[in-house]
Amino acid sequence: MTRLTGRALRLTVFIGESDTWHHKPLYSEIVHRAHTAGLAGASVFRGIEGFGGSSLIHTSRLLSLSEDLPVAVVIVDTEPRVRAFLPQLDELVTEGLVTLDDCEVMRYRSRADAPGGTDAKGKNSL
């Protein structure tokens, strides 16, 4: 389990929901690679409206444009670990926006750390 407190780096990847990597959603590939790389965690957030380089507004309010809503993949870990992951994003993200922000982790705790919690395999922790 990764322990993370104090100074960290937040990596945010803004892409479209319909972006793919080898016929698989791009956001899913980024999350799986982050997991394989041992990063502290990754979350995917689906936007309800937005626009990017194309200047087309994508919104969930119009059926014709709701197929490519904005997606943000957010990863937080130590700066060296996040920067080591960046070459993989160079390979994966051909269109989109990648940002890095300094941040401070106040608390990072998994369910397994909580009293009576379970680990990743569903086993009770002591």
Side-chain angles (χ1 to χ4, degrees), residues 11-125:
L11 165 67
T12 307
V13 182
F14 297 95
I15 54 176
E17 185 178 30
S18 66
D19 293 344
T20 60
W21 176 260
H22 294 250
H23 309 290
K24 179 179 175 182
L26 178 57
Y27 60 83
S28 181
E29 182 67 17
I30 294 169
V31 168
H32 283 86
R33 286 197 187 195
H35 183 261
T36 300
L39 293 171
S43 297
V44 179
F45 300 94
R46 184 179 190 217
I48 58 172
E49 189 167 61
F51 72 93
S54 70
S55 292
L56 290 174
I57 294 180
H58 300 272
T59 178
S60 61
R61 293 182 290 147
L62 301 173
L63 291 176
S64 63
L65 296 177
S66 64
E67 298 167 356
D68 191 24
L69 292 173
V71 171
V73 182
V74 179
I75 298 169
V76 176
D77 207 323
T78 63
E79 182 171 352
R81 293 169 63 94
V82 169
R83 290 197 182 278
F85 186 67
L86 292 177
Q88 292 198 55
L89 289 181
D90 285 341
E91 175 189 359
L92 295 172
V93 181
T94 58
E95 291 182 9
L97 174 66
V98 178
T99 65
L100 293 171
D101 301 291
D102 290 321
C103 64
E104 184 175 354
V105 175
M106 300 300 295
R107 183 175 191 180
Y108 177 71
R109 188 169 162 172
S110 73
R111 288 186 181 101
D113 290 337
T118 58
D119 64 12
K121 295 181 181 174
K123 297 182 181 177
N124 288 334
S125 63

